[in-house]
Structure formats: structure tokens, C-alpha cells
Amino acid sequence: TRIGIDAGGTLTKIAYWNDEKKLKLKKFLSSDFHAVRDWIDSNHSLASICLTGGRAEQLKDCLFSKNEIPYIVEFDATMNGVMYQLKQEKVSCSSAVIANIGTGTSIHIMNGQVHSRIGGTGIGGGTLTGLGMALTGITNYLDIIETSKQGNRTFIDVLVSDIYEKNKLPIKGSLTASNFGGIAIKTQNEKSEPDLLAGVQGLIGEVVSSLCIQAADAHGFEDIIFIGSTLENNELLQQVIESYTLLKQKNPIFLKKHGYSGAIGALLEN
Ligand code: ATP
Ligand code: MG
């Protein structure tokens, strides 16, 4: 069988076909390439691999292959994987902005078969784990996600309506005027760990979606596709992104296999 491997900054994602020709997915921490090697050794031959991702070279060094392992550029692999999933999920969408919320966030446009990277931001999944850890000491990803769900951003952020109060609002009052600005401006002292983590999710979701909305406006696109493992099991981030995107009259699309587009694309290239 063949396998596609996307070695990213944080996670290494693997996609392969099983004996019944069913798509299978697996992930490892990119800090543990030995576990990836052990898994490949016991399940697959090196000959059937196609690699992608920013850490592909490091992984290749760890695999000790005598032969050259095929490699595909990350952005091409990601686009292939996105197209495949759109077809599988029967989503019709030929032009869109695509945000890959990985360790960092990369923003692309897709127009038919043509795609290009138009920008990105350092606010991404690494911000969720890193800033989350700095603020609360919680290190486990799922703990961060679960804790953030119990939180409330009322005392963390400043809303437009907090500033304008009784004045006539120039924009929607429910929009965030300042992520985390409430910590300095609001006097309430109830800033719990859940609230701080909800604030981080809000920061990431709003930064990423507003960049995508502006890109969609600039290119005249309606659809914005959000991918990356940061969305995995992370309903709160999806909610933030969805509501902001809808508010700005764009159509948010989430794919089921959030973080696996690159690995699936590498598998298909193989
Ligand atoms: P990049 O594409 O920027 O090189 P990457 O490919 O490793 O990075 P993704 O796998 O798409 O990025 O997403 C990584 C993010 O996913 C992490 O920063 C974290 O927020 C989140 N995440 C999801 N599951 C886990 C997990 N089990 N352990 C750590 N982080 C996780
Ligand atoms: Mg990645």
C-alpha cells in the first residue's frame, strides 16, 4: 500500500489506504520521529511513501532510506487534499480562500485548478498551545481545549459596545474592539484559566477569520475553507470562526479531516 506523510512543525500526519481500500489516518508528534519510523517499519515499506511538510527533510534523515523518498511541496499537497475532501464531502466550491491553521497559519487562494499562497500569520495553533501554556500552565492540548470551553470572554476582551455604550455605533457592537484589552481596562478581577483560554481561542479565531474575510473581499470570493489540526475537536474555535465569517457575509467551510489535507494530498500524489 501507499502512504502520504505530512511532517509539520508540531504534528506528523499520515494518510494511507488499508487492505479494503479505505482511507486511514494517523498522527504523531513531530518531536517523536522515532515513533513515526517504528510505525512505518512495522506497517509499510519505505518505497511506498510520499513526503510533504516543513519537517520532511528532518523526518527523511531519521528514516535512513537508501533510496530517494518522493517529496511534494507542502502547498501543492494541501491543495490536492482539500480538493479531494471537497469531492468526498460533496461540497461544490471552485474558488475560495483557504486558511491552514497549523502551528502557524498559512492563507491561500484557490481559483479552479490554480492556487497560490497569499499570506499568513504567526497566530495559529502554536499560539493556542504556547500562549495557553504561558497563561495557565496547562500543557496538554486536549486539556487546553476542554478548559477553554468553560470560559467566558466578557472580562478578557473589550467589545465595540463596551466603548461606545450609549453613543451611536459605527459598526456592530458585538464585534471585538480589543482582544485581551479587557484585562487592562475592565476592573473585574474574575479572570479564570478557562476565561484566559477562551480569550486565546477568540484571538486566534478572529485574527485568522478577519484576514481571510479581507482576502475573500479582495478577490471577490464567497467561500472560506478552514483546515489544520488546530480545529480538531475544537468546537469553540470553529464557533468563533464560523460566527465571525457569517457576520461578514462569507461562507465558512470546515472539512471533516481538518489537519490531514497535506497528508492526503501526498498520498494521492504517490
Ligand atoms: P505547520 O503546518 O505550521 O508546520 P503542523 O502541520 O504541525 O504545523 P497542524 O498539525 O495542522 O500543524 O496543527 C498543529 C496544531 O494542532 C497545534 O499547534 C495544536 O494547536 C493543535 N493540536 C491538535 N491536536 C494536537 C495534539 N494531539 N498535540 C498537540 N497539538 C495538537
Ligand atoms: Mg502543516
Side-chain angles (χ1 to χ4, degrees), residues 6-13 27 29-30 53-55 74 100-105 124-129 141-142 145 227-234 258-260:
D6 173 9
T10 306
L11 300 173
T12 293
K13 282 77 61 182
K27 68 168 180 282
L29 290 173
S30 292
R55 292 180 60 107
E74 176 174 1
N100 185 3
I101 317 174
T103 310
T105 299
T127 311
L128 179 56
T129 51
Y141 175 74
L142 288 176
I145 299 299
I227 58 170
S229 308
T230 314
L231 295 162
E232 200 151 296
N233 301 312
N234 192 349
H258 305 286
Y260 289 93

mmCIF file of all heavy atoms in Angstrom, residues 6-13 27 29-30 53-55 74 100-105 124-129 141-142 145 227-234 258-260, ligand 1:
data_model
loop_
_atom_site.group_PDB
_atom_site.id
_atom_site.type_symbol
_atom_site.label_atom_id
_atom_site.label_comp_id
_atom_site.label_asym_id
_atom_site.label_seq_id
_atom_site.Cartn_x
_atom_site.Cartn_y
_atom_site.Cartn_z
ATOM 1 N N ASP A 6 2.765 14.016 6.098
ATOM 2 C CA ASP A 6 2.945 15.469 6.213
ATOM 3 C C ASP A 6 3.627 15.747 7.550
ATOM 4 O O ASP A 6 3.003 15.651 8.608
ATOM 5 C CB ASP A 6 1.566 16.150 6.137
ATOM 6 C CG ASP A 6 1.625 17.648 6.416
ATOM 7 O OD1 ASP A 6 2.736 18.214 6.504
ATOM 8 O OD2 ASP A 6 0.537 18.250 6.552
ATOM 9 N N ALA A 7 4.928 16.033 7.479
ATOM 10 C CA ALA A 7 5.687 16.305 8.705
ATOM 11 C C ALA A 7 5.644 17.807 8.983
ATOM 12 O O ALA A 7 6.375 18.576 8.379
ATOM 13 C CB ALA A 7 7.124 15.814 8.544
ATOM 14 N N GLY A 8 4.751 18.228 9.863
ATOM 15 C CA GLY A 8 4.564 19.649 10.176
ATOM 16 C C GLY A 8 5.376 20.084 11.382
ATOM 17 O O GLY A 8 6.089 19.289 11.997
ATOM 18 N N GLY A 9 5.264 21.343 11.711
ATOM 19 C CA GLY A 9 6.008 21.916 12.831
ATOM 20 C C GLY A 9 5.669 21.269 14.159
ATOM 21 O O GLY A 9 6.529 21.152 15.040
ATOM 22 N N THR A 10 4.427 20.851 14.331
ATOM 23 C CA THR A 10 4.005 20.248 15.600
ATOM 24 C C THR A 10 3.642 18.771 15.443
ATOM 25 O O THR A 10 4.047 17.938 16.235
ATOM 26 C CB THR A 10 2.766 20.978 16.170
ATOM 27 O OG1 THR A 10 3.042 22.370 16.268
ATOM 28 C CG2 THR A 10 2.404 20.438 17.547
ATOM 29 N N LEU A 11 2.870 18.475 14.394
ATOM 30 C CA LEU A 11 2.341 17.117 14.236
ATOM 31 C C LEU A 11 2.738 16.519 12.892
ATOM 32 O O LEU A 11 2.815 17.234 11.886
ATOM 33 C CB LEU A 11 0.806 17.133 14.331
ATOM 34 C CG LEU A 11 0.191 17.645 15.638
ATOM 35 C CD1 LEU A 11 -1.335 17.771 15.497
ATOM 36 C CD2 LEU A 11 0.531 16.729 16.806
ATOM 37 N N THR A 12 2.973 15.223 12.899
ATOM 38 C CA THR A 12 3.209 14.496 11.659
ATOM 39 C C THR A 12 1.962 13.672 11.367
ATOM 40 O O THR A 12 1.553 12.847 12.176
ATOM 41 C CB THR A 12 4.462 13.604 11.795
ATOM 42 O OG1 THR A 12 5.598 14.470 11.911
ATOM 43 C CG2 THR A 12 4.635 12.705 10.575
ATOM 44 N N LYS A 13 1.337 13.977 10.233
ATOM 45 C CA LYS A 13 0.092 13.323 9.863
ATOM 46 C C LYS A 13 0.361 12.282 8.778
ATOM 47 O O LYS A 13 1.161 12.534 7.871
ATOM 48 C CB LYS A 13 -0.924 14.345 9.327
ATOM 49 C CG LYS A 13 -1.617 15.177 10.396
ATOM 50 C CD LYS A 13 -0.790 16.292 10.979
ATOM 51 C CE LYS A 13 -0.364 17.307 9.958
ATOM 52 N NZ LYS A 13 0.511 18.376 10.587
ATOM 53 N N LYS A 27 -1.772 10.209 13.460
ATOM 54 C CA LYS A 27 -0.855 11.321 13.718
ATOM 55 C C LYS A 27 0.108 11.031 14.856
ATOM 56 O O LYS A 27 -0.167 10.260 15.759
ATOM 57 C CB LYS A 27 -1.622 12.622 13.972
ATOM 58 C CG LYS A 27 -2.425 12.681 15.238
ATOM 59 C CD LYS A 27 -2.873 14.131 15.482
ATOM 60 C CE LYS A 27 -3.680 14.275 16.742
ATOM 61 N NZ LYS A 27 -5.071 13.833 16.623
ATOM 62 N N LEU A 29 3.477 13.115 17.214
ATOM 63 C CA LEU A 29 4.129 14.395 17.489
ATOM 64 C C LEU A 29 5.383 14.476 16.623
ATOM 65 O O LEU A 29 6.119 13.502 16.500
ATOM 66 C CB LEU A 29 4.512 14.491 18.970
ATOM 67 C CG LEU A 29 3.357 14.647 19.964
ATOM 68 C CD1 LEU A 29 3.886 14.564 21.397
ATOM 69 C CD2 LEU A 29 2.619 15.962 19.749
ATOM 70 N N SER A 30 5.630 15.654 16.038
ATOM 71 C CA SER A 30 6.828 15.804 15.204
ATOM 72 C C SER A 30 8.093 15.785 16.062
ATOM 73 O O SER A 30 9.204 15.683 15.536
ATOM 74 C CB SER A 30 6.758 17.100 14.397
ATOM 75 O OG SER A 30 5.730 17.018 13.437
ATOM 76 N N GLY A 53 5.530 18.716 3.845
ATOM 77 C CA GLY A 53 5.596 19.415 5.128
ATOM 78 C C GLY A 53 6.963 20.014 5.408
ATOM 79 O O GLY A 53 7.982 19.580 4.850
ATOM 80 N N GLY A 54 6.987 21.003 6.277
ATOM 81 C CA GLY A 54 8.201 21.755 6.590
ATOM 82 C C GLY A 54 9.291 20.925 7.233
ATOM 83 O O GLY A 54 10.474 21.275 7.179
ATOM 84 N N ARG A 55 8.920 19.816 7.863
ATOM 85 C CA ARG A 55 9.931 18.988 8.530
ATOM 86 C C ARG A 55 10.203 17.686 7.780
ATOM 87 O O ARG A 55 10.754 16.728 8.351
ATOM 88 C CB ARG A 55 9.500 18.722 9.978
ATOM 89 C CG ARG A 55 9.531 20.011 10.834
ATOM 90 C CD ARG A 55 9.110 19.755 12.266
ATOM 91 N NE ARG A 55 9.980 18.791 12.909
ATOM 92 C CZ ARG A 55 10.892 19.085 13.830
ATOM 93 N NH1 ARG A 55 11.058 20.330 14.209
ATOM 94 N NH2 ARG A 55 11.629 18.152 14.366
ATOM 95 N N GLU A 74 4.598 21.364 0.071
ATOM 96 C CA GLU A 74 3.509 21.393 1.048
ATOM 97 C C GLU A 74 2.215 22.019 0.508
ATOM 98 O O GLU A 74 1.120 21.486 0.705
ATOM 99 C CB GLU A 74 3.996 22.154 2.283
ATOM 100 C CG GLU A 74 2.934 22.343 3.335
ATOM 101 C CD GLU A 74 3.478 22.981 4.613
ATOM 102 O OE1 GLU A 74 4.685 23.309 4.682
ATOM 103 O OE2 GLU A 74 2.677 23.156 5.540
ATOM 104 N N ASN A 100 -4.965 27.473 6.426
ATOM 105 C CA ASN A 100 -4.452 26.278 7.082
ATOM 106 C C ASN A 100 -3.924 26.682 8.452
ATOM 107 O O ASN A 100 -2.845 27.263 8.579
ATOM 108 C CB ASN A 100 -3.345 25.657 6.214
ATOM 109 C CG ASN A 100 -2.852 24.337 6.768
ATOM 110 O OD1 ASN A 100 -3.366 23.844 7.784
ATOM 111 N ND2 ASN A 100 -1.854 23.759 6.115
ATOM 112 N N ILE A 101 -4.720 26.387 9.491
ATOM 113 C CA ILE A 101 -4.345 26.787 10.853
ATOM 114 C C ILE A 101 -3.527 25.669 11.476
ATOM 115 O O ILE A 101 -4.039 24.788 12.169
ATOM 116 C CB ILE A 101 -5.590 27.128 11.699
ATOM 117 C CG1 ILE A 101 -6.591 27.963 10.884
ATOM 118 C CG2 ILE A 101 -5.170 27.888 12.965
ATOM 119 C CD1 ILE A 101 -7.912 28.220 11.601
ATOM 120 N N GLY A 102 -2.242 25.681 11.167
ATOM 121 C CA GLY A 102 -1.315 24.703 11.716
ATOM 122 C C GLY A 102 -0.614 25.321 12.916
ATOM 123 O O GLY A 102 -1.238 26.038 13.706
ATOM 124 N N THR A 103 0.678 25.060 13.053
ATOM 125 C CA THR A 103 1.447 25.693 14.119
ATOM 126 C C THR A 103 1.359 27.201 13.920
ATOM 127 O O THR A 103 1.102 27.973 14.851
ATOM 128 C CB THR A 103 2.924 25.233 14.050
ATOM 129 O OG1 THR A 103 2.952 23.811 13.957
ATOM 130 C CG2 THR A 103 3.686 25.693 15.282
ATOM 131 N N GLY A 104 1.578 27.604 12.670
ATOM 132 C CA GLY A 104 1.267 28.959 12.239
ATOM 133 C C GLY A 104 0.150 28.858 11.219
ATOM 134 O O GLY A 104 -0.299 27.757 10.896
ATOM 135 N N THR A 105 -0.277 29.993 10.706
ATOM 136 C CA THR A 105 -1.404 29.965 9.769
ATOM 137 C C THR A 105 -0.957 30.446 8.398
ATOM 138 O O THR A 105 -0.294 31.477 8.284
ATOM 139 C CB THR A 105 -2.545 30.861 10.281
ATOM 140 O OG1 THR A 105 -2.977 30.371 11.541
ATOM 141 C CG2 THR A 105 -3.727 30.862 9.309
ATOM 142 N N GLY A 124 -1.628 31.125 15.329
ATOM 143 C CA GLY A 124 -2.140 29.828 14.869
ATOM 144 C C GLY A 124 -2.229 28.840 16.015
ATOM 145 O O GLY A 124 -2.388 29.246 17.183
ATOM 146 N N GLY A 125 -2.099 27.563 15.673
ATOM 147 C CA GLY A 125 -2.242 26.519 16.684
ATOM 148 C C GLY A 125 -1.145 26.569 17.746
ATOM 149 O O GLY A 125 -1.381 26.224 18.906
ATOM 150 N N GLY A 126 0.036 27.012 17.332
ATOM 151 C CA GLY A 126 1.128 27.150 18.299
ATOM 152 C C GLY A 126 0.832 28.235 19.321
ATOM 153 O O GLY A 126 1.310 28.190 20.464
ATOM 154 N N THR A 127 0.034 29.204 18.905
ATOM 155 C CA THR A 127 -0.374 30.282 19.823
ATOM 156 C C THR A 127 -1.333 29.722 20.870
ATOM 157 O O THR A 127 -1.277 30.099 22.050
ATOM 158 C CB THR A 127 -1.071 31.412 19.030
ATOM 159 O OG1 THR A 127 -0.266 31.742 17.909
ATOM 160 C CG2 THR A 127 -1.302 32.637 19.897
ATOM 161 N N LEU A 128 -2.191 28.811 20.429
ATOM 162 C CA LEU A 128 -3.139 28.192 21.367
ATOM 163 C C LEU A 128 -2.391 27.398 22.432
ATOM 164 O O LEU A 128 -2.631 27.558 23.631
ATOM 165 C CB LEU A 128 -4.103 27.292 20.587
ATOM 166 C CG LEU A 128 -5.154 26.539 21.384
ATOM 167 C CD1 LEU A 128 -5.999 27.482 22.230
ATOM 168 C CD2 LEU A 128 -6.048 25.734 20.446
ATOM 169 N N THR A 129 -1.437 26.576 22.002
ATOM 170 C CA THR A 129 -0.710 25.765 22.983
ATOM 171 C C THR A 129 0.312 26.609 23.744
ATOM 172 O O THR A 129 0.419 26.496 24.965
ATOM 173 C CB THR A 129 -0.001 24.579 22.289
ATOM 174 O OG1 THR A 129 0.753 25.072 21.187
ATOM 175 C CG2 THR A 129 -0.999 23.566 21.776
ATOM 176 N N TYR A 141 -2.762 19.474 25.079
ATOM 177 C CA TYR A 141 -3.631 20.120 24.088
ATOM 178 C C TYR A 141 -5.113 19.921 24.403
ATOM 179 O O TYR A 141 -5.885 20.879 24.424
ATOM 180 C CB TYR A 141 -3.320 19.584 22.681
ATOM 181 C CG TYR A 141 -4.267 20.117 21.640
ATOM 182 C CD1 TYR A 141 -4.184 21.437 21.196
ATOM 183 C CD2 TYR A 141 -5.279 19.311 21.100
ATOM 184 C CE1 TYR A 141 -5.069 21.938 20.249
ATOM 185 C CE2 TYR A 141 -6.164 19.810 20.158
ATOM 186 C CZ TYR A 141 -6.056 21.115 19.735
ATOM 187 O OH TYR A 141 -6.932 21.615 18.816
ATOM 188 N N LEU A 142 -5.516 18.677 24.654
ATOM 189 C CA LEU A 142 -6.942 18.424 24.902
ATOM 190 C C LEU A 142 -7.422 19.098 26.179
ATOM 191 O O LEU A 142 -8.569 19.565 26.245
ATOM 192 C CB LEU A 142 -7.232 16.917 24.941
ATOM 193 C CG LEU A 142 -7.154 16.222 23.577
ATOM 194 C CD1 LEU A 142 -7.361 14.721 23.715
ATOM 195 C CD2 LEU A 142 -8.158 16.820 22.578
ATOM 196 N N ILE A 145 -8.105 22.692 25.297
ATOM 197 C CA ILE A 145 -9.376 22.805 24.561
ATOM 198 C C ILE A 145 -10.570 22.684 25.503
ATOM 199 O O ILE A 145 -11.496 23.503 25.470
ATOM 200 C CB ILE A 145 -9.479 21.658 23.511
ATOM 201 C CG1 ILE A 145 -8.350 21.728 22.510
ATOM 202 C CG2 ILE A 145 -10.825 21.684 22.798
ATOM 203 C CD1 ILE A 145 -8.335 22.984 21.742
ATOM 204 N N ILE A 227 -8.844 24.817 7.471
ATOM 205 C CA ILE A 227 -8.277 23.500 7.754
ATOM 206 C C ILE A 227 -7.139 23.630 8.777
ATOM 207 O O ILE A 227 -6.779 24.743 9.173
ATOM 208 C CB ILE A 227 -7.741 22.815 6.464
ATOM 209 C CG1 ILE A 227 -6.683 23.707 5.795
ATOM 210 C CG2 ILE A 227 -8.876 22.517 5.495
ATOM 211 C CD1 ILE A 227 -5.930 23.007 4.666
ATOM 212 N N GLY A 228 -6.562 22.501 9.146
ATOM 213 C CA GLY A 228 -5.451 22.482 10.116
ATOM 214 C C GLY A 228 -5.871 21.755 11.393
ATOM 215 O O GLY A 228 -7.046 21.784 11.776
ATOM 216 N N SER A 229 -4.908 21.111 12.028
ATOM 217 C CA SER A 229 -5.231 20.306 13.217
ATOM 218 C C SER A 229 -5.712 21.147 14.394
ATOM 219 O O SER A 229 -6.265 20.611 15.357
ATOM 220 C CB SER A 229 -4.004 19.509 13.663
ATOM 221 O OG SER A 229 -3.458 18.771 12.604
ATOM 222 N N THR A 230 -5.491 22.456 14.337
ATOM 223 C CA THR A 230 -5.947 23.325 15.434
ATOM 224 C C THR A 230 -7.475 23.291 15.560
ATOM 225 O O THR A 230 -8.027 23.620 16.618
ATOM 226 C CB THR A 230 -5.459 24.764 15.187
ATOM 227 O OG1 THR A 230 -4.089 24.725 14.807
ATOM 228 C CG2 THR A 230 -5.585 25.616 16.439
ATOM 229 N N LEU A 231 -8.139 22.864 14.490
ATOM 230 C CA LEU A 231 -9.607 22.799 14.524
ATOM 231 C C LEU A 231 -10.106 21.464 15.052
ATOM 232 O O LEU A 231 -11.287 21.290 15.332
ATOM 233 C CB LEU A 231 -10.155 23.014 13.103
ATOM 234 C CG LEU A 231 -9.872 24.401 12.524
ATOM 235 C CD1 LEU A 231 -10.039 24.398 11.012
ATOM 236 C CD2 LEU A 231 -10.794 25.437 13.159
ATOM 237 N N GLU A 232 -9.179 20.509 15.221
ATOM 238 C CA GLU A 232 -9.575 19.160 15.607
ATOM 239 C C GLU A 232 -10.133 19.121 17.033
ATOM 240 O O GLU A 232 -9.481 19.583 17.974
ATOM 241 C CB GLU A 232 -8.377 18.215 15.488
ATOM 242 C CG GLU A 232 -8.814 16.782 15.392
ATOM 243 C CD GLU A 232 -7.817 15.974 14.594
ATOM 244 O OE1 GLU A 232 -7.650 16.259 13.392
ATOM 245 O OE2 GLU A 232 -7.200 15.077 15.187
ATOM 246 N N ASN A 233 -11.313 18.567 17.162
ATOM 247 C CA ASN A 233 -12.026 18.503 18.456
ATOM 248 C C ASN A 233 -12.216 19.877 19.080
ATOM 249 O O ASN A 233 -12.486 19.980 20.272
ATOM 250 C CB ASN A 233 -11.275 17.630 19.481
ATOM 251 C CG ASN A 233 -11.081 16.223 18.995
ATOM 252 O OD1 ASN A 233 -12.022 15.606 18.516
ATOM 253 N ND2 ASN A 233 -9.853 15.729 19.080
ATOM 254 N N ASN A 234 -12.038 20.914 18.281
ATOM 255 C CA ASN A 234 -12.028 22.260 18.849
ATOM 256 C C ASN A 234 -13.253 23.053 18.380
ATOM 257 O O ASN A 234 -13.159 23.954 17.552
ATOM 258 C CB ASN A 234 -10.716 22.958 18.444
ATOM 259 C CG ASN A 234 -10.478 24.227 19.219
ATOM 260 O OD1 ASN A 234 -11.365 24.721 19.926
ATOM 261 N ND2 ASN A 234 -9.282 24.789 19.083
ATOM 262 N N HIS A 258 -9.840 17.721 9.310
ATOM 263 C CA HIS A 258 -9.207 19.031 9.433
ATOM 264 C C HIS A 258 -7.718 19.105 9.113
ATOM 265 O O HIS A 258 -7.302 19.863 8.266
ATOM 266 C CB HIS A 258 -9.405 19.554 10.868
ATOM 267 C CG HIS A 258 -10.831 19.592 11.285
ATOM 268 N ND1 HIS A 258 -11.701 20.530 10.811
ATOM 269 C CD2 HIS A 258 -11.541 18.793 12.120
ATOM 270 C CE1 HIS A 258 -12.897 20.320 11.344
ATOM 271 N NE2 HIS A 258 -12.832 19.273 12.134
ATOM 272 N N GLY A 259 -6.926 18.330 9.851
ATOM 273 C CA GLY A 259 -5.478 18.505 9.772
ATOM 274 C C GLY A 259 -4.795 17.651 8.709
ATOM 275 O O GLY A 259 -3.579 17.714 8.559
ATOM 276 N N TYR A 260 -5.557 16.853 7.968
ATOM 277 C CA TYR A 260 -4.935 15.811 7.140
ATOM 278 C C TYR A 260 -4.847 16.130 5.651
ATOM 279 O O TYR A 260 -4.482 15.267 4.855
ATOM 280 C CB TYR A 260 -5.683 14.488 7.345
ATOM 281 C CG TYR A 260 -5.430 13.884 8.711
ATOM 282 C CD1 TYR A 260 -6.288 14.150 9.780
ATOM 283 C CD2 TYR A 260 -4.321 13.087 8.942
ATOM 284 C CE1 TYR A 260 -6.053 13.622 11.038
ATOM 285 C CE2 TYR A 260 -4.078 12.547 10.188
ATOM 286 C CZ TYR A 260 -4.947 12.816 11.238
ATOM 287 O OH TYR A 260 -4.701 12.294 12.473
HETATM 288 P P1 ATP B 1 2.808 23.746 10.290
HETATM 289 O O1 ATP B 1 1.867 23.385 9.151
HETATM 290 O O2 ATP B 1 2.643 25.161 10.727
HETATM 291 O O3 ATP B 1 4.217 23.325 10.023
HETATM 292 P P2 ATP B 1 1.615 21.465 11.627
HETATM 293 O O4 ATP B 1 1.459 20.870 10.269
HETATM 294 O O5 ATP B 1 2.274 20.623 12.658
HETATM 295 O O6 ATP B 1 2.371 22.870 11.565
HETATM 296 P P3 ATP B 1 -1.157 21.121 12.311
HETATM 297 O O7 ATP B 1 -0.879 19.688 12.571
HETATM 298 O O8 ATP B 1 -2.124 21.437 11.239
HETATM 299 O O9 ATP B 1 0.179 21.936 12.131
HETATM 300 O O10 ATP B 1 -1.700 21.815 13.648
HETATM 301 C C1 ATP B 1 -0.907 21.885 14.817
HETATM 302 C C2 ATP B 1 -1.768 22.406 15.935
HETATM 303 O O11 ATP B 1 -2.838 21.491 16.185
HETATM 304 C C3 ATP B 1 -1.067 22.557 17.256
HETATM 305 O O12 ATP B 1 -0.397 23.789 17.340
HETATM 306 C C4 ATP B 1 -2.214 22.451 18.247
HETATM 307 O O13 ATP B 1 -2.846 23.692 18.422
HETATM 308 C C5 ATP B 1 -3.208 21.533 17.532
HETATM 309 N N1 ATP B 1 -3.224 20.127 18.005
HETATM 310 C C6 ATP B 1 -4.215 19.254 17.682
HETATM 311 N N2 ATP B 1 -4.006 18.068 18.241
HETATM 312 C C7 ATP B 1 -2.856 18.160 18.940
HETATM 313 C C8 ATP B 1 -2.099 17.247 19.731
HETATM 314 N N3 ATP B 1 -2.511 15.995 19.945
HETATM 315 N N4 ATP B 1 -0.946 17.685 20.282
HETATM 316 C C9 ATP B 1 -0.513 18.938 20.083
HETATM 317 N N5 ATP B 1 -1.184 19.841 19.350
HETATM 318 C C10 ATP B 1 -2.345 19.474 18.777
#
